[in-house]
Amino acid sequence: MQRQIEDLFDNKPEKYTPDHFALFARFKAALNAGEIRAAEPDASQLSGWRVNGWVKKGILLGFRIGSIVDMSLDPHRQPFFDKSTYPVRHFTPSDEVRIVPGGSSIRDGCFIGKGVTCMPPMYINAGAYVSDGSMVDSHALIGSCAQIGRNCHISAASQIGGVLEPVGALPVIVEDDVLIGGNCGVYEGTVVKKRAVLGTGTILNRSTPVYDLVRGEVYRATDDQPLVVPEGAVVVAGSRAVTSGPGKDWGISIYTPVIVKYRDEKTGARIQLEDLLR
């Protein structure tokens, strides 16, 4: 399948045939089943993850070959016009996924593990991977190709950014047992390692370093490596003073995420965020 997807993506035929659509349907079924994914663990990489660029090509291919069609249940009361290749994903009770009614949407072409709870309204985009036992809370977004581990809690209004292009770029990674507080944002291929906690309002991206008050380290993304939040870190929204120019004179501080402590072995995977921050 990999070679076929890459050939079709790279060669851009003038007309797509039924065989091409059948290939994409098999590809999308493999995404839904978790048999292939946009990124996967790789101990040989500094970040612990590697990109499967051909999978991202396949996801992009779906947008290229699809046409805009009317998928509305009622085009007047609830219009729904999208690419024919990306309807909402179909579930049955045997999938053991809770989708609480109230305006949520899960696009076809993503893996949703058993025991995942989706609280309304939330959105999961194509290419995402959400592993067993995780919760996606109200108004939360899981972007294209984002990877969410087991037993994570993505709290209300948090944004897990998608990284679909370029195809070689690592998507956002949230590993197992991570707790992400409300109104957080994780973007630009950031990797949040196991058992980490993000306090309410924490923003992580490539341009903002993370200051570790416990270990005396500063973590930054580089040209070839993402920002990586260490395992078990408890990160909160902080600030650092501007030390020169008018900013210093005016007493201005700028936002920065700060690691204030680390979870210990006695800390349960589902402990409340406020207990961790005491």
Side-chain angles (χ1 to χ4, degrees):
M1 182 188 294
Q2 178 177 349
R3 179 175 295 179
Q4 292 173 293
I5 289 289
E6 290 188 311
D7 286 346
L8 186 56
F9 181 86
D10 294 336
N11 293 328
K12 299 181 180 178
E14 292 184 5
K15 183 177 181 180
Y16 293 103
T17 69
D19 286 344
H20 295 149
F21 285 94
L23 171 64
F24 179 72
R26 295 197 303 273
F27 169 82
K28 194 166 58 173
L31 281 175
N32 286 336
E35 297 168 356
I36 58 175
R37 53 197 295 191
E40 59 186 292
D42 185 345
S44 70
Q45 302 295 316
L46 289 176
S47 66
W49 289 79
R50 64 178 171 86
V51 181
N52 290 325
W54 76 271
V55 175
K56 296 176 79 175
K57 285 183 177 181
I59 296 166
L60 288 166
L61 181 65
F63 292 102
R64 184 187 297 171
I65 70 176
S67 58
I68 297 178
V69 297
D70 185 353
M71 303 186 209
S72 310
L73 295 176
D74 184 327
H76 299 289
R77 299 177 63 186
Q78 191 174 21
F80 175 18
F81 304 94
D82 201 356
K83 292 285 188 172
S84 57
T85 43
Y86 284 112
V88 293
R89 194 185 144 175
H90 176 69
F91 290 92
T92 68
S94 64
D95 293 309
E96 299 181 30
V97 174
R98 288 181 58 205
I99 304 175
V100 180
S104 296
S105 184
I106 301 173
R107 217 172 191 178
D108 207 10
C110 61
F111 175 76
I112 310 295
K114 293 186 181 299
V116 169
T117 300
C118 303
M119 297 300 293
M122 58 96 244
Y123 183 73
I124 301 175
N125 209 346
Y129 186 105
V130 183
S131 196
D132 298 354
S134 289
M135 171 177 277
V136 184
D137 216 334
S138 302
H139 296 282
L141 164 70
I142 310 296
S144 291
C145 301
Q147 307 288 298
I148 309 297
R150 294 175 178 267
N151 302 320
C152 294
H153 189 125
I154 313 301
S155 294
S158 288
Q159 307 284 299
I160 309 301
V163 181
L164 186 51
E165 295 184 274
V167 294
L170 189 72
V172 174
I173 308 291
V174 177
E175 295 189 351
D176 296 347
D177 299 312
V178 169
L179 175 57
I180 295 182
N183 287 293
C184 289
V186 186
Y187 307 110
E188 299 174 344
T190 296
V191 177
V192 182
K193 304 299 281 186
K194 294 179 181 179
R195 303 181 69 251
V197 175
L198 305 187
T200 300
T202 300
I203 306 296
L204 301 174
N205 56 38
R206 293 187 63 86
S207 60
T208 305
V210 176
Y211 288 78
D212 189 338
L213 302 183
V214 180
R215 298 176 179 174
E217 302 280 351
V218 180
Y219 308 111
R220 292 182 172 90
T222 65
D223 289 342
D224 57 356
Q225 292 295 327
L227 173 66
V228 177
V229 175
E231 183 172 336
V234 179
V235 190
V236 301
S239 64
R240 53 194 173 106
V242 175
T243 58
S244 63
K248 178 182 179 181
D249 298 336
W250 296 337
I252 290 176
S253 296
I254 59 176
Y255 166 79
T256 191
V258 178
I259 296 174
V260 293
K261 64 184 292 186
Y262 281 81
R263 294 172 71 168
D264 57 36
E265 294 303 320
K266 297 179 181 178
T267 304
R270 294 190 178 276
I271 193 166
Q272 293 297 310
L273 178 61
E274 50 267 34
D275 291 337
L276 280 168
L277 297 179
R278 287 174 181 165

